[in-house]
Amino acid sequence: MADVPDPDDDFDLGDDSGSGPDIDVDARRYLRLAGIAIVGLFVVVVLLGGYHQVPEGHVGVQKSFGAVTGAELAPGAHIIVPIKDSVQDVEIRPRTYTMANQRGEGAEPQRADAVTVQTVNGTTADIDITVRYRVQRDNPSRFVSEWSTVGQVEQRLIRPSVRSRLRDEAAGIQTSEIYTRDGRERLGMAAQEKLESVFDDEALVLEEVQVRDVDLPDSYDQALNEKEIAKQEVQQKEFEIQQARRERERREIQAEAEARVIEIRGQALRDNPIVLRQDYIRGISAADKVILATDDEGTPIILQTDAQGGGGGQTDGTTGTTGTDLNITTGDNINATGGG
């Protein structure tokens, strides 16, 4: 009967009844691994949330549960307490804020946001202006406490201050002056003085205010062009008149000079009549017949040059003879041949 199996052994199911403790061990192992994974993930999240990189040109303003603590972080890597602490980066480099009439330009690229003003003549004009400013390097925490972001400063401080000051200044400027260099400088100086006064009480530094352009209505631009064309035409007429006046003066001076020459020549001939007689004799051609003088009885003496002689010989004005044959005729028909 020793070989007969014990009924209790069959009921024990061998080692099957021992699988219960093994299952508990595996479950505990899985739970432990899951807990480690959760803790690791939490640590990673904590570490990532506690790391902050402050970029160059910025200062990190530390906050605790959203409130500024006054602590400031220099550019570089920093570890903070996650969830509790946070860091806001504030740019301390110069910034530009532009209000432009051209879409796609300035702080509001989707629309034209130039400052519209009205001159003393009632003409409207759009002023393009650029403001260059920066946050104080030694006081970014105050800036964050008062303004939070630069966008708030631009919309709530810079823009309304510039608009009000430009409108007040433009109301005392003539339309014909507002677009000139002096007019733009006057507007820019007025805007700069206004911003300097409001920046004195803020953690901000004003670098420069520049009026970039003054855009007048098309009708006024056309009137200016027409006025400029008329001005140029007047200048052209004045130039032509001046040219005509100079030409008249030149002719008068030339005529006076010629008259003076004639006067001097006439006086010289009166002082030297022999010169006039010589010139007259030289001008006699071979076919000329000239009455030279009369004798004591009033009879004219006619000198006729011989056509064959060519009339080109030299004549002595004092003797009345030439190098060619001459026919001298008097009232008694006396013929003489001059042979030199």
Side-chain angles (χ1 to χ4, degrees):
M1 297 298 296
D3 294 333
V4 177
D6 189 352
D8 295 334
D9 294 339
D10 293 337
F11 178 80
D12 189 38
L13 297 177
D15 294 333
D16 292 342
S17 61
S19 63
D22 293 338
I23 293 175
D24 292 339
V25 171
D26 292 340
R28 284 195 298 269
R29 182 183 299 115
Y30 292 146
L31 290 175
R32 185 169 57 252
L33 292 176
I36 293 173
I38 293 174
V39 171
L41 180 62
F42 177 78
V43 171
V44 171
V45 171
V46 167
L47 291 177
L48 292 178
Y51 173 81
H52 184 82
Q53 179 77 32
V54 179
E56 290 292 338
H58 294 69
V59 173
V61 176
Q62 191 168 347
K63 299 179 181 180
S64 178
F65 295 109
V68 177
T69 63
E72 298 173 356
L73 306 179
H78 300 273
I79 300 297
I80 61 174
V81 178
I83 301 176
K84 172 181 175 292
D85 295 337
S86 62
V87 178
Q88 177 177 336
D89 297 329
V90 178
E91 186 177 14
I92 57 175
R93 292 176 297 193
R95 295 178 52 87
T96 57
Y97 175 65
T98 298
M99 292 171 279
N101 191 42
Q102 184 69 31
R103 290 188 177 182
E105 186 179 6
E108 300 289 341
Q110 71 276 10
R111 62 185 178 88
D113 65 337
V115 180
T116 301
V117 300
Q118 193 173 48
T119 66
V120 68
N121 306 100
T123 304
T124 59
D126 294 327
I127 311 298
D128 287 8
I129 189 167
T130 295
V131 178
R132 183 179 175 89
Y133 73 100
R134 62 178 174 85
V135 177
Q136 289 181 356
R137 298 178 184 274
D138 56 350
N139 209 358
S141 296
R142 179 189 170 194
F143 169 78
V144 174
S145 298
E146 295 179 352
W147 296 101
S148 180
T149 64
V150 292
Q152 293 292 324
V153 170
E154 293 171 354
Q155 294 300 320
R156 294 168 52 195
L157 179 65
I158 297 179
R159 183 178 181 84
S161 297
V162 170
R163 284 166 61 93
S164 63
R165 189 67 185 91
L166 287 182
R167 288 174 177 174
D168 292 342
E169 188 67 24
I173 302 178
Q174 297 285 338
T175 305
S176 58
E177 299 176 359
I178 194 170
Y179 66 92
T180 63
R181 178 180 178 182
D182 292 340
R184 292 196 301 269
E185 289 181 352
R186 180 175 171 181
L187 292 173
M189 186 175 298
Q192 182 159 344
E193 291 175 353
K194 176 65 175 180
L195 288 180
E196 286 177 349
S197 64
V198 297
F199 275 25
D200 284 341
D201 298 330
E202 306 295 340
L204 299 167
V205 177
L206 182 64
E207 299 279 347
E208 182 184 12
V209 176
Q210 180 183 11
V211 175
R212 302 170 54 202
D213 190 24
V214 176
D215 188 16
L216 295 169
D218 294 339
S219 58
Y220 192 83
D221 288 338
Q222 183 178 357
L224 287 178
N225 293 334
E226 294 175 354
K227 181 178 179 180
E228 185 64 24
I229 292 174
K231 181 179 178 180
Q232 292 178 0
E233 291 178 351
V234 171
Q235 291 177 348
Q236 179 64 26
K237 292 296 183 181
E238 292 178 350
F239 175 77
E240 294 175 356
I241 293 173
Q242 292 177 357
Q243 290 291 97
R245 184 182 295 112
R246 293 192 186 99
E247 179 64 18
R248 184 187 65 188
E249 292 175 353
R250 186 190 66 80
R251 291 180 179 179
E252 291 176 353
I253 294 174
Q254 182 179 0
E256 291 177 357
E258 291 176 353
R260 180 59 180 165
V261 170
I262 294 173
E263 181 181 356
I264 295 174
R265 182 176 176 83
Q267 184 63 39
L269 291 177
R270 286 192 295 271
D271 295 340
N272 301 278
I274 188 173
V275 176
L276 184 61
R277 290 198 298 270
Q278 288 177 342
D279 290 342
Y280 177 73
I281 292 172
R282 290 191 187 98
I284 297 175
S285 66
D288 289 337
K289 181 182 290 184
V290 182
I291 298 176
L292 293 179
T294 59
D295 55 13
D296 295 338
E297 298 178 355
T299 302
I301 300 175
I302 301 175
L303 172 64
Q304 181 178 11
T305 60
D306 188 356
Q308 295 179 354
Q314 295 294 326
T315 303
D316 186 349
T318 58
T319 61
T321 61
T322 68
T324 59
D325 293 337
L326 300 176
N327 295 324
I328 300 175
T329 304
T330 65
D332 296 331
N333 294 325
I334 298 174
N335 294 327
T337 302

